[in-house]
Amino acid sequence: MLSNDNVQTSKCHSYWGQNSYGATHPDKTAHWQKTLSYYCMDSVVDTFPIAFLVDSYAEGNLPSIDLANICNSGNANYFPGTELLNCSFLASDIEMCQSAGKAVTISLGGGTGNIQFQSDSQATAYAQTIWNLFLGGKSKTRPFGSAILDGIDMDIEGGSQAGYVSFLTALRKHMNRGKKKYYITAAPQCPFPDEYIGDTLDSVGFDAVYVQFYNNYCDLKHYNNRNDWNFAAWDDWANNVSPNPDVKVYIGAPASSTAGSGYQTQSNYSSFGGVMLWDISDAYANHRYDIAVKQALTSDEDLLNKQIRDQHLSETRNITQEED
């Protein structure tokens, strides 16, 4: 069963949904993103934010989602009168992952996301929409059917923060009345404070932040340069500013050289929670980089036993044979 502290205390989280490897390798379909349950068959990755809910208000005044090759307009229908895809076939995948002890959340935003509110009242009302569509509420337009996700992630990379505090405060109230533990996380860029969600981080009790330490001056390739590598600033924020004194800070890292620049996994800070990878398709294609990360973060060899290694060595051989 899912641990109540899964998002805050586990070590390796990875985004799923955008088929990052396939975007840069359109001809190598053997490594393209698989359905979510494929990545939940071992104990390596602990949490999967589903990427992305890309538009807060599309047709029908409901959001739109984009799951690349897994759920799109070519293989799934829209709910009538909306631009919201019916990906309810993923319910069994999500529930399988949850039964294996994983947390599965929905990530709002992304590089081209449009998560905007015109007023605090609109933002407060939108919390009810997200609760009904993805979490513990009810709706006839639930994209993942009967599956109840474990929370939301705010991957905000543009626009205004107007209404965010009201939205998340209202959503947390719904979560606190729910029948299980829910999480609110964020994925800010590493320059501190983050331009697009920094003020919100100071005002809302997030459970974890997946800081994107890539494609910036403060990214992981500058790990040995303390003038650039700024995990200390994020650790100080976690310990002295965040409304949640137990918030965990994750090192966001690309899972391969095609997903961003440079990757390492080290930390000696009290707020350190582990590593977030972008994304799982790249990690698998990169010789199961997620396993290497988990090995670096844990001494529990039971998590990385011979059965897992043998299983994925066999999978790698099969994929190589398919490509040949």
Side-chain angles (χ1 to χ4, degrees):
M1 297 298 292
L2 179 70
S3 165
N4 282 347
D5 295 322
N6 197 62
V7 167
Q8 289 184 301
T9 61
S10 53
K11 296 295 184 182
C12 185
H13 301 178
S14 183
Y15 283 83
W16 172 89
Q18 285 300 292
N19 189 27
S20 179
Y21 181 85
T24 54
H25 298 83
D27 57 330
K28 296 183 178 180
T29 58
H31 283 298
W32 278 21
Q33 172 178 265
K34 310 296 191 298
T35 57
L36 183 60
S37 59
Y38 177 81
Y39 304 105
C40 295
M41 293 187 291
D42 59 39
S43 57
V44 179
V45 177
D46 305 290
T47 297
F48 289 95
I50 295 177
F52 289 107
L53 187 158
V54 292
D55 192 345
S56 48
Y57 294 100
E59 185 179 349
N61 222 26
L62 288 178
S64 62
I65 59 176
D66 171 20
L67 301 182
N69 62 315
I70 297 299
C71 185
N72 55 60
S73 58
N75 60 22
N77 295 321
Y78 293 103
F79 288 105
T82 79
E83 293 178 26
L84 182 60
L85 286 165
N86 184 346
C87 308
S88 55
F89 63 88
L90 286 171
S92 58
D93 281 61
I94 293 167
E95 290 165 351
M96 176 270 187
C97 292
Q98 291 171 326
S99 67
K102 318 290 186 182
V104 183
T105 64
I106 181 72
S107 185
L108 283 60
T112 60
N114 180 33
I115 311 301
Q116 297 294 307
F117 303 113
Q118 299 302 313
S119 66
D120 286 337
S121 59
Q122 183 189 47
T124 298
Y126 199 70
Q128 183 74 58
T129 298
I130 294 298
W131 177 255
N132 289 343
L133 294 183
F134 298 99
L135 304 175
K138 295 181 179 181
S139 174
K140 295 180 180 179
T141 55
R142 286 179 66 87
F144 305 129
S146 61
I148 300 173
L149 299 185
D150 299 297
I152 72 160
D153 173 66
M154 299 286 285
D155 184 354
I156 307 301
E157 301 183 28
S160 165
Q161 299 180 61
Y164 286 177
V165 172
S166 295
F167 165 60
L168 295 172
T169 300
L171 186 59
R172 180 68 82 184
K173 289 180 179 178
H174 286 295
M175 292 176 169
N176 289 343
R177 292 192 294 263
K179 296 180 179 180
K180 67 174 186 176
K181 175 73 174 180
Y182 293 95
Y183 304 97
I184 297 176
T185 64
Q189 304 287 314
C190 59
F192 184 88
D194 182 85
E195 180 178 357
Y196 300 113
I197 200 169
D199 292 342
T200 308
L201 292 175
D202 292 348
S203 301
V204 175
F206 285 78
D207 296 294
V209 292
Y210 309 138
V211 183
Q212 297 183 41
F213 285 104
Y214 46 91
N215 300 332
N216 274 295
Y217 72 88
C218 43
D219 63 26
L220 283 165
K221 67 184 179 182
H222 298 124
Y223 175 78
N224 291 319
N225 184 345
R226 295 198 174 189
N227 291 324
D228 291 330
W229 168 252
N230 68 345
F231 193 97
W234 288 98
D235 181 67
D236 180 73
W237 166 83
N239 286 304
N240 298 303
V241 179
S242 170
N244 177 14
D246 297 319
V247 64
K248 294 299 179 184
V249 179
Y250 282 71
I251 294 178
S256 79
S257 59
T258 62
S261 53
Y263 49 80
Q264 297 180 38
T265 54
Q266 300 179 48
S267 177
N268 294 314
Y269 297 98
S270 62
S271 68
F272 178 67
V275 172
M276 172 277 283
L277 296 176
W278 178 268
D279 70 352
I280 194 63
S281 64
D282 270 313
Y284 268 59
N286 188 18
H287 308 288
R288 285 302 306 271
Y289 183 62
D290 56 314
I291 290 180
V293 168
K294 193 76 169 205
Q295 286 176 324
L297 293 171
T298 180
S299 60
D300 187 354
E301 285 301 319
D302 288 338
L303 296 175
L304 297 161
N305 56 35
K306 186 177 185 297
Q307 180 179 358
I308 292 175
R309 292 194 295 268
D310 289 349
Q311 172 188 347
H312 291 291
L313 177 61
S314 176
E315 291 176 357
T316 300
R317 287 171 176 167
N318 291 339
I319 289 174
T320 302
Q321 291 171 0
E322 290 175 13
E323 291 183 337
D324 292 342

